Amino acid sequence: MLDGDILQTNDTSEIGCIITLLAMTLVQCVPVLAEEAQDGYPVTFVTEHATIDVYYTQDYTEPSEVNVSSAVARNSDTGEVDVTGDGQVNFKVNVEDGYEISSVEADKNYKNLKDLSDNMYRLTKIQGEVVVTVTTVEKSGEEGTILQPGEFYVFDQKIDFDFGLGDPDEVNLFDSTDSLVEKISWSAHAAGVLARVPDGVGAMTEVATSTKGASNNGESSTKPDYKGAIAWPGSDKVITYDEGKSMFQSDSSGLDFYKGQLYCINNKKGTFWVMDVNKDGSMDYADGFTQTGKNLAFAHDAANPSASNPDAEGITVANNATASGVLFVALENNGHVYAFVLNNDGSAKRIADIDPGIGGAMALDYDKYEYQ
């Protein structure tokens, strides 16, 4: 542990995870303990025109139980019944012919309900009785829209469908025989919109604005005009620096860049690295750093190297995470954002607890251009 890296308040009810050198998202600093249930935590399914298959682990090759009305939270690795409040239920919704899923909702005592695609769902961190309601609707007839040469059809969110497109994600287009005729995928959202230029035959290109119901244009995407922004000083060549070697071990989920240096944090171990980034895209370990990195620890574990390190989802340089002298950190377990004032004597005081209503937070940063 580096001297002064992590501070802890004297009040044990406070969140003791303040980093002065590196402001990082610390997860599970204060574990949420569920009241243990001897027989596990039950999940009841309410369905109509659908049946439920349950998978004990995340191996979805074959269901563990089929056509069930209830299940019990289990450990995701072993499949054993969980009584700690950290279990999950993996299930598939089998919908009757002529129907489709309208919604899958859970009422309480869980953290996340994830849609895994192909009608597979995962309910996580179950800490009590949960009721899952699956709502189905009759499938509507085929659209039957016929386009003449040169005509356009707009398939619009909130009108024709009610789901979002993620980052990364893909869109598949099938014909009336369920044959795939087009597939478009992306790793990050476009600065404007993605369009084929020319229409229907050209390559997918980022363009500045949408042209719904009209021909795609080839205008380049416009970049935000940030005050004081400078041109990228480095090379345009893309370099995979850690190909064939483990740079930051596995499960490294936080990166930040500041004054020519790249900061990286390991999620499970709390190990971090600082790299000097060269203009040609290559990197070298910064002074004092090697491939093994450096381990962070809670203040009360400073004298115990074997103690568990912070489970860190994100990292950010301190100058980028403060606003008017206030440091902000986020907690994965509840999604809350906490604001602290750091004192010169090494102490800190929490001045705000903000609940954005997102359930969990994996990273936090401050955009000095947008002031948010």
Side-chain angles (χ1 to χ4, degrees):
M1 172 183 173
L2 299 178
D3 290 339
D5 280 353
I6 299 180
L7 303 178
Q8 183 172 3
T9 61
N10 293 327
D11 185 350
T12 58
S13 67
E14 300 289 334
I15 303 297
C17 305
I18 312 304
I19 300 177
T20 57
L21 173 63
L22 302 172
M24 56 183 286
T25 304
L26 296 181
V27 298
Q28 298 176 353
C29 301
V30 180
V32 177
L33 300 178
E35 181 181 352
E36 293 192 359
Q38 186 66 32
D39 298 324
Y41 299 100
V43 175
T44 302
F45 297 100
V46 178
T47 65
E48 187 174 358
H49 302 295
T51 61
I52 303 295
D53 294 344
V54 171
Y55 298 74
Y56 288 166
T57 66
Q58 294 181 30
D59 176 8
Y60 303 127
T61 306
E62 294 291 339
S64 304
E65 296 183 57
V66 298
N67 196 15
V68 303
S69 59
S70 63
V72 178
R74 294 177 181 271
N75 181 281
S76 61
D77 296 320
T78 66
E80 298 295 326
V81 173
D82 177 80
V83 296
T84 69
D86 193 37
Q88 62 184 36
V89 167
N90 310 295
F91 62 96
K92 182 176 184 179
V93 180
N94 305 298
V95 187
E96 291 181 6
D97 290 341
Y99 290 85
E100 59 187 359
I101 296 175
S102 173
S103 65
V104 177
E105 299 177 332
D107 60 348
K108 58 183 178 180
N109 298 326
Y110 71 99
K111 182 178 181 181
N112 285 315
L113 177 58
K114 301 179 181 179
D115 184 348
L116 305 179
S117 77
D118 296 328
N119 292 356
M120 290 290 302
Y121 296 85
R122 181 186 305 145
L123 193 66
T124 63
K125 292 190 180 298
I126 300 171
Q127 301 179 358
E129 295 184 2
V130 184
V131 176
V132 175
T133 302
V134 178
T135 304
T136 58
V137 295
E138 288 190 75
K139 287 184 177 180
S140 57
E142 294 186 3
E143 193 169 84
T145 300
I146 298 176
L147 299 179
Q148 300 300 323
E151 290 185 335
F152 302 91
Y153 178 78
V154 178
F155 190 60
D156 211 340
Q157 187 183 24
K158 305 302 183 184
I159 298 175
D160 299 286
F161 59 97
D162 60 359
F163 54 86
L165 298 177
D167 175 12
D169 212 333
E170 67 180 34
V171 171
N172 298 287
L173 179 64
F174 298 86
D175 63 17
S176 58
T177 65
D178 289 333
S179 298
L180 181 66
V181 295
E182 181 68 279
K183 179 177 182 178
I184 302 169
S185 61
W186 56 89
S187 59
H189 288 303
V193 297
L194 288 173
R196 286 202 182 281
V197 181
D199 288 344
V201 295
M204 294 300 297
T205 305
E206 288 192 11
V207 296
T209 58
S210 170
T211 56
K212 292 182 179 180
S215 178
N216 295 332
N217 62 56
E219 296 178 0
S220 300
S221 296
T222 57
K223 297 182 178 180
D225 184 17
Y226 290 126
K227 182 180 179 181
I230 62 174
W232 170 246
S235 170
D236 291 333
K237 183 179 179 181
V238 177
I239 298 176
T240 303
Y241 184 70
D242 59 349
E243 186 172 5
K245 56 184 176 181
S246 179
M247 277 296 301
F248 306 125
Q249 303 172 11
S250 61
D251 203 8
S252 292
S253 60
L255 290 173
D256 202 359
F257 186 80
Y258 183 67
K259 291 188 175 180
Q261 290 184 312
L262 180 69
Y263 294 75
C264 176
I265 192 75
N266 183 278
N267 181 15
K268 297 297 184 183
K269 299 179 180 179
T271 304
F272 77 98
W273 297 261
V274 180
M275 308 293 296
D276 291 327
V277 181
N278 306 313
K279 288 187 176 182
D280 64 359
S282 62
M283 294 187 292
D284 301 298
Y285 291 105
D287 290 343
F289 285 85
T290 65
Q291 187 175 2
T292 58
K294 296 185 179 182
N295 289 330
L296 298 174
F298 294 110
H300 59 76
D301 293 330
N304 182 11
S306 64
S308 175
N309 293 325
D311 181 0
E313 288 282 359
I315 187 172
T316 184
V317 181
N319 287 351
N320 287 344
T322 58
S324 302
V326 179
L327 176 69
F328 294 84
V329 295
L331 189 64
E332 179 188 10
N333 206 324
N334 58 14
H336 286 211
V337 176
Y338 299 92
F340 294 86
V341 172
L342 306 180
N343 301 319
N344 292 331
D345 62 359
S347 63
K349 180 175 179 58
R350 190 177 77 189
I351 61 173
D353 177 352
I354 306 168
D355 181 6
I358 59 177
M362 304 302 176
L364 182 70
D365 209 343
Y366 177 74
D367 189 332
K368 63 182 180 181
Y369 297 109
E370 299 291 343
Y371 304 104
Q372 60 186 12

